[in-house]
Amino acid sequence: MSKTTNITIKDVAQSAGCGVATASRVLNNSGPASADVRERVERAARELGFSFSAIGRALQSRRSMTVGCLVPSLANPVFAEAVQGVQAVLLGSGYQMLISCSNYDAAADDAAIEMLLAKKTDALVTTMVDPDRSPALRLAKKRGIPISLMFHDPLDGFITSYVDNFEAAKEVARQFAGLGHRRTGFLALRFSTSDRSRNRYAGFHSECRTRGLPDPVLIEIGEAEANQPDLLAAILAQHPALTAIFASNDFLAIAVQKAARLLGWRVPQDLSVVGFDGIEIGRLLEKPLATIETSPEAMGRQAASSLLTMLQGGDTVQLPALPFAFRAGATLALPNPENGDDGRGATRPSPDLPAEPHAQQG
Amino acid sequence: MSKTTNITIKDVAQSAGCGVATASRVLNNSGPASADVRERVERAARELGFSFSAIGRALQSRRSMTVGCLVPSLANPVFAEAVQGVQAVLLGSGYQMLISCSNYDAAADDAAIEMLLAKKTDALVTTMVDPDRSPALRLAKKRGIPISLMFHDPLDGFITSYVDNFEAAKEVARQFAGLGHRRTGFLALRFSTSDRSRNRYAGFHSECRTRGLPDPVLIEIGEAEANQPDLLAAILAQHPALTAIFASNDFLAIAVQKAARLLGWRVPQDLSVVGFDGIEIGRLLEKPLATIETSPEAMGRQAASSLLTMLQGGDTVQLPALPFAFRAGATLALPNPENGDDGRGATRPSPDLPAEPHAQQG
DNA sequence: TTGTAAGCGTTATCAT
DNA sequence: ATGATAACGCTTACAA
């Protein structure tokens, strides 16, 4: 553990018997150098185990070769995958990623951006609670730092990589309506801190109206309910009339099925469930999850690509929303005709028909 | 987009009509200053929107306040959660996290460490393909940089946060043996690049021997098989005699159930399945997954805590392995007596007994 | 082709 | 209490 004193370019130059400028030129291939000195410098660098200090470089070049990344949480695989996408694109480009998580807290968001700015990240890729009113983000923009948002719908002067949550949610309403569902619910976690969630509800609500369905019931829950099926079941029990629930993400969609089971409700016979995101596991389940399939990884990739373009001086424009697709699954079926406002729990199983769109109900 | 030229402490000093040293002292509360000049400096800083450059500071103090983090992938929630744990602990301490992913590639691992070292991270927290033979990691150690490994079993001179994979795997063998399973398999993805996977197999194998069971069949698969149930089914079909499979992670455990279903095998009647990790979703499934429950988040937290201790000059010793627990589930049951070497597919369902340990078979 | 020196933003030392 | 000034490690004029 002999704290090796750091080798600087000065040491290399000294060891090679030349000036630091020459050493720099050789090591960077950035200028002329005789074969002789080139040889000596390279050998010295090798023998001393020299490597450049990114700090020194950053200070002098005013470019840190670092991209700041802020997401609400890595425990949510959707964000983890997006970050993975960012990382994948950045990997070859020489940029490193400074990461931060806000835990869905707006104040933490702002503080994190400030930290990233202080670290002089060359660009920012973020998903925030409220990007629109983050002073730090505004400052970043004023400084002219390239910024790419992820997951957010287009916003004044920012570039964003996203799926059209509103449109996607409308598709879910269409599926429900097509099968004849009328009493629907929207299950949301962190509704207040997630514009995605809000937009999904808005789209769902809007299309329900268009199709002449009653307004969907908005069921907001907290962390506790999301993780404890019995608590969620208690909440679910308050809405016995619902025949279909749109969960704002796949994890919730799986959790609500568990809760339904606790209540003795069968999915999809007594309750249809559709999720959002399209996580891989949904596909592998015994009862494959009907959901809106998206690609967070692609989102991250696109965001990072835009960033790189901007970092190279290119102009970037807002790209269209990334594609989504409704993925059929065994959790969505016709509503149970027995399931009136209090007829829940009929023991007669309804046939396990494949989901087949009906004419809309007007 | 008026590229605001960066405000330095020099600007503040000038605007406040004092020297930079004084400004620094005031802004850092690191020395004496008259109330008068203090006032002026603070106002100037506020009005100019000054914030310190971490780069300048890092250069002068030789501490970047940055921790380097390297994991194989963030797409694997186990690593994502660990990183989240690291982040959570680091958050309050003023350290930021520079992150990198290797995609399970040893060469990328080494390159990533080199990058992190060049960026002068003050410490390293990593999970690598082969930490033992990474030149860059060795260099880091030689430099005296605090290093915490995650997921790896204890290794020569490194501190690591881990669960005892060998012991945990033995527990699975015990469960299988206790129920009377004899023909078992170990399903592994990326066996060659994961010491976790190898240690789990070793423990499983060892305990099978101890209990007098035949050696477990090692079934190695690639990404393709892991993601395409039909391919996995084809592989599974080559092992019709197995009555129990230990999957090296929960995702695989869920995938193998899907594959079994495709073959018409029932879980757990025809095939018992136990996973590893204890991801949350396993609990919510219709057929809750039997698994070894661990806490990657706690792993990340512990690793980060050790790092902070070391960064504060404290001495840190290797802590004992983090706890794991066998989590019972509906995917584990008695072997089907009908299920001889080619009797698979018996249509008679066996009773769905709760998993109840038997005497060991010798 | 090469070396000297200025400057990037900060803090610590040392006079004043 | 305050302000020059010298580092920190690097690149880039500019001179030689």
Side-chain angles (χ1 to χ4, degrees):
Chain A
M1 242 260 215
S2 59
K3 291 216 176 200
T4 312
T5 178
N6 267 337
I7 318 280
T8 78
I9 200 170
K10 225 171 183 167
D11 301 316
V12 174
Q14 188 158 30
S15 163
C18 70
V20 288
T22 306
S24 173
R25 265 177 244 128
V26 170
L27 264 12
N28 289 302
N29 255 320
S30 61
S34 66
D36 177 40
V37 72
R38 188 173 292 274
E39 169 67 26
R40 270 152 44 214
V41 167
E42 261 152 9
R43 201 165 44 78
R46 209 176 325 115
E47 284 174 359
L48 268 48
F50 169 81
S51 78
F52 283 107
S53 160
I55 303 274
R57 277 186 158 167
L59 186 57
Q60 118 73 30
S61 68
R62 242 85 44 102
R63 318 215 292 107
S64 65
M65 296 305 283
T66 289
V67 169
C69 177
L70 173 63
V71 290
S73 165
L74 288 173
N76 184 335
V78 169
F79 297 124
E81 273 176 41
V83 173
Q84 171 85 5
V86 172
Q87 160 78 31
V89 169
L90 253 37
L91 197 59
S93 67
Y95 283 90
Q96 299 257 103
M97 184 168 59
L98 212 37
I99 202 170
S100 209
C101 302
S102 70
N103 293 305
Y104 305 91
D105 175 27
D109 260 342
D110 208 63
I113 297 282
E114 258 171 25
M115 289 284 279
L116 294 173
L117 250 32
K119 285 261 162 79
K120 305 292 175 200
T121 54
D122 296 333
L124 248 28
V125 50
T126 71
T127 301
M128 305 175 70
V129 170
D130 195 348
D132 214 8
R133 80 191 66 198
S134 162
L137 192 64
R138 236 191 307 267
L139 175 60
K141 196 170 161 50
K142 207 174 123 208
R143 290 219 187 132
I145 295 173
I147 303 175
S148 256
L149 303 183
M150 296 186 296
F151 296 96
H152 295 298
D153 279 27
L155 199 66
D156 36 1
F158 295 101
I159 298 280
T160 182
S161 298
Y162 71 113
V163 297
D164 192 329
N165 291 294
F166 191 89
E167 278 304 320
K170 279 169 64 179
E171 175 61 23
V172 176
R174 254 175 255 129
Q175 295 285 336
F176 283 165
L179 287 169
H181 288 279
R182 292 191 55 79
R183 317 207 54 120
T184 66
F186 181 81
L187 181 65
L189 174 61
R190 281 188 284 264
F191 194 71
S192 63
T193 62
S194 165
D195 53 351
R196 281 91 61 206
S197 218
R198 291 195 303 273
N199 287 336
R200 285 168 202 169
Y201 175 68
F204 187 56
H205 182 274
S206 159
E207 186 67 13
C208 281
R209 288 229 159 155
T210 302
R211 300 260 162 176
L213 304 194
D215 283 355
V217 179
L218 174 60
I219 309 175
E220 289 187 60
I221 62 171
E223 300 283 350
E225 289 80 14
N227 293 315
Q228 290 168 265
D230 51 329
L231 295 184
L232 183 52
I235 293 191
L236 201 54
Q238 294 166 19
H239 305 277
L242 301 183
T243 65
I245 285 189
F246 175 23
S248 67
N249 67 54
D250 285 348
F251 183 87
L252 242 37
I254 290 169
V256 80
Q257 289 180 67
K258 171 81 176 179
R261 241 176 279 129
L262 291 179
L263 294 173
W265 303 358
R266 293 160 307 168
V267 173
Q269 295 93 330
D270 298 324
L271 184 69
S272 280
V273 176
V274 172
F276 200 106
D277 289 338
I279 62 177
E280 185 61 23
I281 278 184
R283 216 189 266 284
L284 301 176
L285 301 181
E286 187 151 359
K287 201 176 291 176
L289 179 64
T291 189
I292 296 290
E293 189 162 299
T294 69
S295 174
E297 222 256 344
M299 217 171 283
R301 283 179 180 279
Q302 187 188 85
S305 295
S306 300
L307 238 37
L308 286 181
T309 306
M310 294 163 94
L311 284 168
Q312 282 147 20
D315 245 9
T316 305
V317 295
Q318 174 63 51
L319 296 173
L322 286 160
F324 64 85
F326 174 76
R327 186 207 286 169
T331 58
L332 173 61
L334 295 169
N336 186 344
E338 303 259 322
N339 184 23
D341 277 36
D342 26 65
R344 175 81 65 180
T347 48
R348 177 149 48 99
S350 67
D352 206 345
L353 297 175
E356 188 184 351
H358 283 195
Q360 94 180 60
Q361 317 265 316
Chain B
M1 228 37 87
S2 59
K3 291 217 178 203
T4 313
T5 176
N6 267 338
I7 317 280
T8 79
I9 200 169
K10 224 170 184 167
D11 301 317
V12 174
Q14 188 158 31
S15 162
C18 69
V20 288
T22 306
S24 174
R25 263 177 248 128
V26 170
L27 264 11
N28 288 300
N29 254 320
S30 61
S34 66
D36 177 40
V37 72
R38 188 173 291 276
E39 169 66 28
R40 270 152 43 214
V41 167
E42 261 152 9
R43 201 165 45 77
R46 207 176 327 114
E47 284 174 359
L48 268 49
F50 168 79
S51 79
F52 282 107
S53 160
I55 303 275
R57 276 185 157 166
L59 184 57
Q60 119 76 27
S61 69
R62 243 127 346 156
R63 319 214 290 106
S64 65
M65 296 306 283
T66 290
V67 169
C69 177
L70 173 63
V71 290
S73 164
L74 287 173
N76 184 335
V78 169
F79 297 124
E81 273 176 40
V83 173
Q84 171 86 4
V86 172
Q87 161 78 30
V89 170
L90 253 37
L91 198 59
S93 68
Y95 284 90
Q96 300 256 105
M97 185 168 58
L98 212 35
I99 202 170
S100 211
C101 302
S102 70
N103 293 306
Y104 305 91
D105 175 27
D109 260 341
D110 208 63
I113 298 282
E114 258 171 26
M115 290 284 280
L116 294 173
L117 286 179
K119 285 261 162 80
K120 303 291 175 202
T121 54
D122 297 333
L124 249 26
V125 49
T126 70
T127 301
M128 306 174 69
V129 170
D130 195 348
D132 214 7
R133 81 192 66 199
S134 160
L137 192 63
R138 237 191 307 266
L139 174 61
K141 196 170 161 48
K142 207 174 120 208
R143 291 218 186 134
I145 296 173
I147 304 176
S148 255
L149 303 183
M150 296 187 297
F151 295 97
H152 295 296
D153 280 26
L155 199 65
D156 36 0
F158 295 102
I159 300 279
T160 181
S161 298
Y162 71 114
V163 296
D164 193 328
N165 291 294
F166 191 89
E167 278 304 320
K170 278 168 64 178
E171 175 61 24
V172 176
R174 254 175 254 127
Q175 294 285 338
F176 283 165
L179 288 169
H181 288 279
R182 293 192 52 81
R183 318 208 52 122
T184 67
F186 181 81
L187 180 65
L189 175 60
R190 282 188 283 263
F191 194 71
S192 61
T193 62
S194 165
D195 55 349
R196 280 94 59 207
S197 217
R198 290 195 304 271
N199 287 336
R200 285 168 202 169
Y201 176 67
F204 187 55
H205 182 274
S206 160
E207 186 67 13
C208 281
R209 288 230 160 153
T210 301
R211 301 261 160 175
L213 304 193
D215 285 355
V217 179
L218 174 59
I219 310 175
E220 289 187 59
I221 62 170
E223 300 284 351
E225 288 81 14
N227 293 315
Q228 289 168 266
D230 51 329
L231 295 184
L232 183 51
I235 293 190
L236 201 55
Q238 294 166 20
H239 305 277
L242 301 183
T243 66
I245 284 189
F246 176 22
S248 67
N249 67 53
D250 285 348
F251 183 86
L252 241 38
I254 291 169
V256 80
Q257 289 180 67
K258 171 81 175 180
R261 241 175 280 129
L262 290 179
L263 294 172
W265 302 358
R266 293 159 307 165
V267 173
Q269 294 95 329
D270 299 324
L271 184 70
S272 281
V273 177
V274 172
F276 200 107
D277 289 338
I279 62 177
E280 185 61 25
I281 278 183
R283 216 189 265 285
L284 300 176
L285 300 182
E286 186 151 0
K287 200 176 293 179
L289 179 64
T291 189
I292 296 288
E293 190 162 300
T294 68
S295 174
E297 223 254 345
M299 216 170 284
R301 282 179 182 278
Q302 187 188 86
S305 295
S306 300
L307 238 38
L308 286 181
T309 306
M310 294 163 93
L311 283 168
Q312 282 147 20
D315 245 9
T316 304
V317 295
Q318 174 63 51
L319 296 173
L322 287 160
F324 63 85
F326 174 76
R327 186 207 287 169
T331 58
L332 174 61
L334 295 169
N336 187 344
E338 302 260 325
N339 185 24
D341 278 33
D342 27 64
R344 174 83 64 181
T347 46
R348 176 148 48 100
S350 66
D352 206 344
L353 297 176
E356 189 183 349
H358 284 194
Q360 95 181 59
Q361 317 265 319

